[in-house]
């Protein structure tokens, strides 16, 4: 991004006002607003160009190895614009290692990837874990005491006990029968009557 002479004058004036606050004229305010709008437009245009460049780079990479020359040129342009190679770029360059230009870009991309890894590790090492906030301090309110009192917990009600089963009503006693007599238990059998017929005579001896 290159500033013209007029833009540099406005930027210098804005920096001076930031370091030494003082009365500002309406013309200075307008100039600062115009400079801010120009910067926003330039940043938006740069983002759009970067998106187009990344899309072209992905298309050329997907069409390898037939697009070696175009892919290498686009990758070099993207690296100059601050692009960081992805694992797909490193894999593509390794496959094209026989090409002198690809071999040179591979070494450059590997150096950039290693720097990024070391930077992430160093940044992660400097991070201090945030202290755990007790649950009682989560619900802070603007009361004179500071922390709101926890609502008193009501004792849990015991479940209603089941009523004990009532004993079954005794069955009414069966009516008592009189004790049977031996004659009723063992009835006597009557002798069978002889068959009817003429009387037999005994022979004389």
């Amino acid at each position: 991004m290159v500033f013209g002479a007029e833009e540099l004058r406005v930027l210098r004036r804005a920096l001076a006002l930031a370091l030494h606050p003082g009365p500002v004229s309406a013309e200075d305010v307008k100039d600062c607003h115009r400079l801010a709008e120009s910067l926003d437009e330039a940043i938006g245009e740069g983002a759009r160009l970067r998106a187009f460049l990344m899309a072209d780079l992905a298309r050329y990479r997907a069409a390898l190895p037939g697009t070696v020359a175009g892919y290498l040129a686009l990758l070099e342009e993207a690296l100059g614009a601050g692009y960081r190679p992805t694992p797909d770029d490193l894999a593509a360059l390794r496959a094209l290692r026989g090409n002198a230009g690809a071999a040179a870009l591979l070494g450059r991309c590997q150096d950039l990837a290693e720097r990024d890894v070391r930077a992430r590790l160093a940044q992660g090492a400097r991070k201090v874990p945030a202290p755990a906030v007790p649950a009682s301090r989560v619900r802070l309110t603007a009361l004179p005491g500071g922390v709101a009192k926890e609502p008193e917990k009501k004792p849990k009600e015991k479940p209603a006990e089941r009523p004990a089963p009532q004993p079954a009503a005794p069955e009414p006693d069966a009516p008592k029968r009189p004790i049977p007599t031996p004659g009723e238990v063992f009835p006597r059998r009557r002798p069978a009557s002889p068959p009817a017929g003429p009387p037999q005579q005994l022979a004389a001896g």
Side-chain angles (χ1 to χ4, degrees):
M1 186 180 295
V2 180
F3 289 101
E6 184 63 22
E7 293 170 340
L8 287 175
R9 183 191 66 79
V10 176
L11 182 60
R12 190 181 297 110
R13 176 61 177 161
L15 291 175
L17 290 173
L19 294 174
H20 306 286
V24 182
S25 64
E27 188 65 25
D28 289 338
V29 173
K30 291 180 181 180
D31 291 342
C32 289
H33 279 299
R34 282 196 295 267
L35 179 60
E37 291 175 359
S38 299
L39 288 174
D40 290 341
E41 291 178 2
I43 292 173
E45 185 64 21
R48 285 191 293 271
L49 291 176
R50 179 182 175 85
F52 286 137
L53 179 59
M54 295 304 102
D56 287 342
L57 184 63
R59 282 195 294 268
Y60 274 79
R61 184 175 58 235
L64 286 174
T67 55
V68 177
Y71 172 69
L72 296 179
L74 286 173
L75 180 58
E76 190 169 1
E77 181 182 354
L79 293 176
Y83 172 73
R84 287 296 180 263
T86 64
D88 291 338
D89 293 319
L90 295 176
L93 291 174
R94 290 191 187 99
L96 302 172
R97 199 173 304 175
N99 186 296
L105 279 178
L106 176 60
R108 182 180 173 184
C109 289
Q110 285 177 339
D111 291 341
L112 290 174
E114 291 176 0
R115 291 179 191 175
D116 291 343
V117 171
R118 285 195 295 267
R120 284 195 296 269
L121 291 176
Q123 185 178 3
R126 288 195 299 268
K127 287 182 179 179
V128 179
V133 180
S136 60
R137 297 187 181 181
V138 176
R139 296 186 293 272
L140 293 177
T141 56
L143 295 177
V147 182
K149 292 184 179 180
E150 292 286 338
E152 296 181 358
K153 295 181 179 179
K154 296 182 179 180
K156 294 182 178 179
E157 297 181 358
K158 295 182 179 180
E161 297 181 357
R162 295 181 178 178
Q166 297 181 355
E171 297 181 358
D173 294 337
K176 295 182 178 180
R177 298 178 60 187
I179 299 174
T181 61
E184 293 177 351
V185 177
F186 304 105
R188 293 180 179 180
R189 294 181 179 179
R190 295 180 180 180
S193 57
Q200 297 179 359
Q201 296 180 357
L202 297 175

